[in-house]
Amino acid sequence: MTMKSKLTYMIISVLAVFSLAGCGDDSTEGMTFITYYPELTLENSADGGTTLYCAKGGTFTDPGYTAILNGEDVTDQVQVDSNVNMDKSGIYTVAYSIVNADGFVTTASRKVIVTDQNDPVEGVYYVDPASYRVSSAGETPYGASYEMTVFNNGNGTYAVSDLLGGWYDKRANYGIAYSMPGDIKVSEDGSIEMLSSSVAGWGDSADYMKEGKFDSATNTLSWQVGYAGSMDFYVTLTKR
């Protein structure tokens, strides 16, 4: 992967012909104009992508960005809007935009994930590719790793971005409406209890959770989630 992740907008020519009905010299046969779109580039973070992973209470530092318009550096014309709050765990967005002389806008965005490094459970996790689903078709492994987040709700419970570990949202590419966000409670012995769950796309929830466990030695979360009356998802998440 290169050190830069480019969001490139090809310089294009927009041709428009205007015909004005009229008499004599007041009539225009045709007009054309060319507009150039800026090329907006976000510098990668130390992790090699545009997403930033930050520690709660720290200082936010943007890795940087550049904008080029028809060969000219116009970085100083980029507008940056951010809702990043380094004092609160969560997922934030930094939005970048630049408008050319003809009013056309080029945009880009950066995701910023803030987590409490002192919380043993909270953090960014990745699904173990060996996680698997059991259904009438048999056992099917996830086969890939997907990013998940776990945030402390502040009342002794944690919000998990997807209890199914990205099976439908990311693996099947159905989209976030088919993830299963939910709340869990982690006891001192590491056992996990599911408190709530929901899949907005289908308007339902998990049937149950079994064998839920947080292992502080390996920084892993694992559980078995029953769903739709006929499937079980065996999910293991490893903390980043």
Side-chain angles (χ1 to χ4, degrees), residues 88-205:
K88 184 178 180 180
S89 298
I91 300 176
Y92 302 97
T93 301
V94 182
Y96 310 82
S97 63
I98 181 170
V99 183
N100 71 4
D102 297 305
F104 293 100
V105 182
T106 297
T107 63
S109 65
R110 186 190 300 281
K111 182 164 66 174
V112 180
I113 303 178
V114 178
T115 56
D116 186 348
Q117 304 297 297
N118 296 316
D119 189 308
V121 179
E122 180 173 289
V124 176
Y125 287 77
Y126 292 94
V127 178
D128 185 336
S131 299
Y132 59 95
R133 182 189 73 169
V134 174
S135 67
S136 59
E139 183 178 308
T140 307
Y142 279 57
S145 184
Y146 307 110
E147 185 178 273
M148 304 286 129
T149 55
V150 178
F151 291 115
N152 193 325
N153 288 325
N155 57 2
T157 69
Y158 292 86
V160 181
S161 60
D162 190 354
L163 294 171
L164 298 181
W167 181 273
Y168 292 110
D169 172 13
K170 298 179 179 180
R171 186 180 188 276
N173 202 31
Y174 287 0
I176 194 170
Y178 297 91
S179 63
M180 183 187 282
D183 290 337
I184 60 173
K185 180 178 180 181
V186 181
S187 300
E188 290 185 5
D189 64 358
S191 60
I192 295 175
E193 175 187 0
M194 181 177 67
L195 303 178
S196 66
S197 66
S198 64
V199 180
W202 286 308
D204 56 11
S205 59

Side-chain angles (χ1 to χ4, degrees), residues 11-111:
I11 298 176
I12 64 173
S13 298
V14 178
L15 302 179
V17 178
F18 301 91
S19 295
L20 303 177
C23 300
D25 293 338
D26 293 332
S27 179
T28 303
E29 290 293 332
M31 290 179 57
T32 64
F33 72 90
I34 297 176
T35 189
Y36 295 93
Y37 282 79
E39 179 183 312
L40 186 54
T41 303
L42 302 186
E43 297 287 349
N44 282 348
S45 68
D47 300 284
T50 58
T51 298
L52 285 180
Y53 302 91
C54 302
K56 179 181 176 181
T59 301
F60 173 74
T61 302
D62 194 313
Y65 52 90
T66 56
I68 304 297
L69 177 61
N70 193 23
E72 179 183 354
D73 189 331
V74 290
T75 302
D76 60 350
Q77 296 178 28
V78 175
Q79 179 176 334
V80 181
D81 295 302
S82 170
N83 66 350
V84 176
N85 182 354
M86 295 297 292
D87 294 323
K88 184 178 180 180
S89 298
I91 300 176
Y92 302 97
T93 301
V94 182
Y96 310 82
S97 63
I98 181 170
V99 183
N100 71 4
D102 297 305
F104 293 100
V105 182
T106 297
T107 63
S109 65
R110 186 190 300 281
K111 182 164 66 174

Side-chain angles (χ1 to χ4, degrees), residues 200-213:
W202 286 308
D204 56 11
S205 59
D207 299 330
Y208 52 80
M209 175 184 281
K210 295 180 180 178
E211 305 300 323
K213 181 181 179 181

